[in-house]
Amino acid sequence: MSDLRELYQEVILDHSRRPRNAGRPDSANHQAQGDNPLCGDRIMIYLTVDDGVVKDIGFDGRGCAISMASASLMTEAVKGKTLEQASEIFARFHALVTGEEAVEEEALDKLVVFSGVRDFPVRVKCATLPWHTLAAAMNRATELVTTE
Ligand code: ZN
C-alpha cells in the first residue's frame, strides 16, 4: 500500500511540475475563475464546447501542488467527454476525495492518485477547486467561484 501511495505522490508531483493543457485554447468559448482563499490557489479554466462535447480544455493558475496537479489531471480526464460525462466524473472524484460515499476507484482511472486527499480535509478544497471551476465554466458562468 505504501508503494502505491508513493506512486500516487509521484504522479501528483509530475503533473504539478509539468501541467498538461496549460494555457487558453484559441477556440475557447467558456471560462470561469476559481479561488481557494484558504490555501491561496487561483485558477482559470477555459473550455471549447461544441455540440455538448468538451472539444478542448486548458487552464492557467497558481497554487499548491495538489490544486495544480488536480487541474492538470482533470483536463486529461474530461477532454473529449460530453458535458454530462464530465459532470459524472466530477461526482465520482468528489466522492473519492471526500470519502463521503463509496466509489468505484477503477472508474476514476488516473484520478485515483488523489485518494489520499481524504485523509487531509484541508486539502480537499485544493483538489476540488479545479472541478468546481470546471462546473462553473460548463454553465457559462463568468463569476468568481470560491470554495469559502
Ligand atoms: Zn491548495
Side-chain angles (χ1 to χ4, degrees):
M1 191 60 200
S2 67
D3 283 356
L4 198 56
R5 279 285 159 96
E6 225 164 86
L7 174 70
Y8 289 176
Q9 199 67 31
E10 273 172 33
V11 173
I12 289 171
L13 283 175
D14 176 53
H15 275 264
S16 69
R17 287 176 185 146
R18 296 190 303 119
R20 318 307 196 262
N21 301 302
R24 181 185 185 280
D26 289 338
S27 55
N29 54 10
H30 288 228
Q31 69 180 51
Q33 183 181 331
D35 196 3
N36 174 19
L38 200 68
C39 179
D41 309 314
R42 303 200 91 174
I43 192 159
M44 283 291 299
I45 301 286
Y46 310 102
L47 300 175
T48 304
V49 180
D50 185 24
D51 212 12
V53 174
V54 179
K55 298 271 188 195
D56 206 354
I57 177 168
F59 76 99
D60 283 322
R62 58 186 166 77
C64 66
I66 296 281
S67 64
M68 293 299 108
S70 179
S72 176
L73 281 149
M74 178 187 79
T75 61
E76 288 192 330
V78 305
K79 199 187 239 185
K81 300 289 196 297
T82 66
L83 297 178
E84 200 180 347
Q85 287 169 330
S87 297
E88 285 166 10
I89 299 169
F90 179 19
R92 277 201 292 268
F93 181 78
H94 195 270
L96 176 81
V97 296
T98 59
E100 280 166 9
E101 47 187 305
V103 61
E104 221 179 299
E105 297 200 349
E106 277 155 41
L108 280 157
D109 197 23
K110 272 201 227 168
L111 296 173
V112 79
V113 299
F114 292 100
S115 58
V117 168
R118 68 171 82 108
D119 298 329
F120 304 93
V122 97
R123 289 291 178 204
V124 171
K125 287 181 175 183
C126 302
T128 56
L129 176 69
W131 290 90
H132 284 295
T133 311
L134 170 72
M138 291 198 298
N139 292 324
R140 268 192 189 283
T142 49
E143 75 269 25
L144 180 72
V145 174
T146 176
T147 53
E148 289 305 290

